[in-house]
Amino acid sequence: MLEFMEYVSTALDLGRPVDVVYLDFQKAFDMVPHLRLLNKIKAYGITGDVLRWIGEWLKDREQRVVLNGINSAWIYVVSGVPQESILGPLLFLILINDIDKNIVNK
């Protein structure tokens, strides 16, 4: 962070423009679209049984909220990856791996 601040301060002192991109990943794991994720995994060359297994692991998931012993109704989940798993964060990283693809630093 200090190195970044030094870079920005120096650039501004020299009159150079500085662009900063801020990303908010709050609830990002809940927003992963399953079909887009599976297509991206396939594009990385993961196919066959492994791709099918991941697809099966993601589909037909349900969730509900429990508060003070009162349960909401179960609903189907069409996006998101399970956060309490080992595979969920890895799949999220696969999805965002090329997030900076079109950002140019000159």
Side-chain angles (χ1 to χ4, degrees):
M1 186 64 149
L2 291 173
E3 190 174 321
F4 172 74
M5 288 302 298
E6 179 65 27
Y7 171 81
V8 170
S9 297
T10 302
L12 292 175
D13 288 345
L14 295 172
R16 294 183 186 150
V18 176
D19 295 322
V20 179
V21 177
Y22 292 96
L23 302 173
D24 180 4
F25 287 120
Q26 181 178 1
K27 303 207 181 228
F29 279 44
D30 298 332
M31 302 299 197
V32 173
H34 293 167
L35 187 56
R36 185 178 305 160
L37 174 62
L38 291 171
N39 287 332
K40 196 150 212 188
I41 292 169
K42 187 176 181 181
Y44 276 109
I46 300 171
T47 59
D49 288 339
V50 174
L51 181 64
R52 192 170 21 266
W53 177 80
I54 293 171
E56 289 295 320
W57 184 68
L58 291 171
K59 85 174 196 177
D60 296 331
R61 299 186 76 84
E62 293 180 303
Q63 70 182 20
R64 69 178 177 172
V65 176
V66 179
L67 180 63
N68 295 328
I70 300 172
N71 304 329
S72 70
W74 286 97
I75 60 167
Y76 279 100
V77 178
V78 296
S79 65
V81 292
Q83 297 173 38
E84 61 281 342
S85 67
I86 293 172
L87 189 57
L90 177 63
L91 294 175
F92 178 74
L93 289 175
I94 288 172
L95 184 72
I96 67 164
N97 186 47
D98 61 353
I99 197 168
D100 63 343
K101 183 178 179 183
N102 294 318
I103 295 176
V104 179
N105 182 12
K106 293 184 181 183

